[in-house]
């Protein structure tokens, strides 16, 4: 893993970017915990709001794939476009993972308890891990672009 992070490749850069955002929800959790006084309980509608946004975001991140490349491109243009599209997909997956955190923080502040944010975090962190450019995600994206 450390060798993959140190490599000056596109995959290494995207992996560093994903790993940068994995601890991002922790300061949000700390700030919201102080703001609500550490209480966990919250009204049901706030929990439902945070949970539904997190589930929708998770499903959307699993479904999003790059579009196929047009035929007749040179090898260099094909490589540039596929790298650019994979970067876009990775950034979109990171943004989709951080959206429930923001909605959960707002719902927690509105409801006066931490439970909506905890529900959002429980679904956002696996989504951030899924955004990492692993062999499986790169292969899926490559197959989608070659289709």
């Amino acid at each position: 893993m450390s060798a993959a992070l140190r490599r000056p490749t596109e995959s290494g850069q995207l992996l560093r970017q994903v790993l940068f955002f994995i601890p991002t929800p922790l300061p949000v959790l700390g700030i919201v915990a102080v703001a609500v006084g550490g209480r966990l309980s919250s009204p049901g509608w706030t929990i439902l709001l945070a949970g539904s946004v997190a589930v929708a975001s998770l499903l959307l991140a699993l479904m999003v794939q790059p579009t196929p490349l047009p035929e007749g491109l040179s090898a260099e243009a094909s490589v540039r476009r596929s790298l650019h599209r994979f970067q876009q997909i990775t950034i979109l997956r990171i943004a989709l993972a951080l959206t429930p955190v923001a909605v959960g923080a707002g719902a927690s502040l509105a409801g006066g308890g931490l439970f909506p944010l905890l529900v959002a975090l429980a679904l956002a962190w696996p989504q951030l891990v899924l955004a990492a450019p692993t062999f499986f995600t790169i292969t899926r994206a490559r197959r989608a672009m070659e289709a």
Side-chain angles (χ1 to χ4, degrees):
M1 177 92 166
S2 66
L5 286 172
R6 290 188 201 130
R7 275 189 244 147
T9 61
E10 190 67 33
S11 175
Q13 177 188 354
L14 290 174
L15 185 59
R16 286 188 298 273
Q17 189 174 12
V18 169
L19 290 177
F20 173 79
F21 283 107
I22 286 178
T24 300
L26 291 175
V28 174
L29 179 63
I31 291 169
V32 172
V34 169
V36 298
R39 289 186 308 272
L40 285 177
S41 64
S42 187
W45 68 270
T46 59
I47 299 167
L48 185 62
L49 172 69
S52 62
V53 168
V55 167
S57 173
L58 181 62
L59 290 176
L60 187 59
L62 288 174
M63 301 303 279
V64 67
Q65 286 296 325
T67 57
L69 293 173
E71 292 185 28
L73 290 176
S74 67
E76 298 157 356
S78 172
V79 167
R80 278 194 312 269
R81 280 194 185 184
S82 62
L83 282 175
H84 182 68
R85 286 185 182 179
F86 191 73
Q87 279 180 333
Q88 287 177 332
I89 293 297
T90 303
I91 292 169
L92 178 65
R93 286 182 178 152
I94 291 170
L96 283 171
L98 294 178
T99 299
V101 175
V103 172
S108 289
L109 291 173
L114 279 175
F115 203 68
L117 181 58
L118 295 176
V119 168
L121 288 176
L123 293 170
W125 268 319
Q127 194 172 340
L128 276 170
V129 172
L130 288 174
T134 60
F135 176 77
F136 176 70
T137 57
I138 292 171
T139 303
R140 271 183 66 192
R142 182 179 55 90
R143 286 184 184 154
M145 285 186 268
E146 288 175 352

